[in-house]
Amino acid sequence: MNADLADDDGVIIRVEQLHKWFGLLHVLRGVSLEVRAREVVVLIGRSGSGKSTFLRCLNFLEAPSAGRLRVAGLTADLQPGQRPPAEVVKNVRLRTGMVFQEFNLFPHMTALENVIEGLVSVKKMKKAQAVPVGETYLAKVGLLEKKDVHPIRLSGGQKQRVAIARALAMEPKVMLFDEPTSALDPELIGEVLEVMKQLAREGTTMLVVTHEMQFAREVADRVIYMEDGVILEDSPPETIFTQPADPRTRQFLDRLL
């Protein structure tokens, strides 16, 4: 599912010297990163370190200020003040699924209608064709029986699982998760993480911003620590959690573990 748009060396995301300014605020300061197809990469760090902005730049929800991005076979070279071509933006978004902190479901639509909305409005699929696809992905996240229920009658964990099903229904090559459990009550976090673990077991390429350190330990191939808009450390979980190379990583983890 995920390797067909990787480069010859297996890299499906390649970021070179990515910068992002918000006015005078320099949020991303020359971030470079490669992610191979089927890898799970977890980004950790303090609030304001640039993690979510980095994720949003990957599918142009935030326009990068400068740098080079290659995502699932599509390349954008950006000079300061230059916007990426609209066609590249559109196609990158089609190839990346995004799951947000807040669920961003349409309240007037049922769970199934939320899942198939992109298929109908973006991919121009007929509703009769989209419905069985939507049902397949609701079943995948364990919510087929809730297909006719509106978001107001779903728990936070169920809403987030619908949001994951919605992203998966578009058949992206990469899944981006921006703190997907941070808006959930503690007892609901596990059901969302279990869906994400299953996706990882199936070989889904994933970039995950999270504070769930146990998830990072169990699932990540690599853990990246960001601070002040730069990557300070990029290591396997067994290394970063037991022998972090940078004292700032150790200080951050000591407060959490």
Side-chain angles (χ1 to χ4, degrees):
M1 170 185 168
N2 295 295
D4 53 345
L5 289 176
D7 292 340
D8 290 342
D9 57 0
V11 174
I12 197 165
I13 295 176
R14 199 183 304 268
V15 182
E16 299 174 16
Q17 290 299 306
L18 182 68
H19 291 264
K20 177 61 182 177
W21 284 270
F22 290 103
L24 298 177
L25 184 61
H26 198 180
V27 177
L28 297 177
R29 302 166 176 261
V31 175
S32 296
L33 175 67
E34 292 183 354
V35 178
R36 299 177 68 83
R38 302 182 180 276
E39 266 197 309
V40 178
V41 177
V42 171
L43 286 79
I44 63 173
R46 296 178 176 85
S47 297
S49 61
K51 310 180 301 297
S52 293
T53 299
F54 175 72
L55 216 61
R56 293 170 68 87
C57 282
L58 290 181
N59 68 349
F60 302 109
L61 287 175
E62 296 288 354
S65 301
R68 187 174 194 268
L69 290 177
R70 183 165 173 79
V71 180
L74 298 164
T75 301
D77 286 295
L78 300 163
Q79 301 301 320
Q82 178 186 22
R83 296 190 67 82
E87 192 66 17
V88 171
V89 172
K90 174 186 173 183
N91 286 317
V92 165
R93 288 177 178 168
L94 283 172
R95 297 178 187 184
T96 54
M98 185 85 172
V99 178
F100 302 90
Q101 298 178 39
E102 300 295 337
F103 323 115
N104 292 349
L105 300 179
F106 293 111
H108 63 288
M109 292 183 177
T110 65
L112 179 60
E113 288 169 339
N114 269 282
V115 172
I116 67 172
E117 175 62 20
L119 296 174
V120 174
S121 63
V122 179
K123 289 196 168 183
K124 307 303 180 185
M125 189 180 289
K126 292 187 183 302
K127 186 174 181 180
Q129 295 174 297
V131 165
V133 176
E135 289 176 342
T136 295
Y137 284 102
L138 279 174
K140 187 178 183 69
V141 300
L143 287 175
L144 182 57
E145 76 281 1
K146 300 289 186 181
K147 69 178 184 177
D148 297 320
V149 177
H150 286 79
I152 196 171
R153 301 194 180 279
L154 298 174
S155 70
Q158 289 170 336
K159 290 176 187 176
Q160 193 62 294
R161 285 190 281 155
V162 171
I164 293 172
R166 176 182 58 188
L168 291 173
M170 299 293 284
E171 298 189 337
K173 304 303 176 186
V174 176
M175 284 289 291
L176 309 174
F177 293 86
D178 185 9
E179 299 196 32
T181 60
S182 64
L184 300 180
D185 293 332
E187 67 270 19
L188 301 176
I189 290 172
E191 66 189 66
V192 173
L193 293 180
E194 188 50 47
V195 170
M196 294 170 65
K197 290 175 185 177
Q198 182 59 36
L199 293 177
R201 288 191 288 267
E202 293 170 0
T204 306
T205 306
M206 298 163 59
L207 268 75
V208 184
V209 173
T210 187
H211 293 290
E212 299 294 332
M213 296 298 116
Q214 190 57 39
F215 173 84
R217 281 181 183 270
E218 292 178 18
V219 180
D221 297 297
R222 290 153 54 203
V223 178
I224 289 172
Y225 177 69
M226 288 187 69
E227 187 169 305
D228 294 331
V230 299
I231 292 174
L232 289 185
E233 194 152 352
D234 181 348
S235 302
E238 60 269 21
T239 300
I240 204 165
F241 286 116
T242 59
Q243 296 178 309
D246 193 290
R248 289 166 290 184
T249 311
R250 184 182 300 278
Q251 186 180 46
F252 172 77
L253 291 172
D254 282 348
R255 286 203 292 265
L256 290 178
L257 302 177

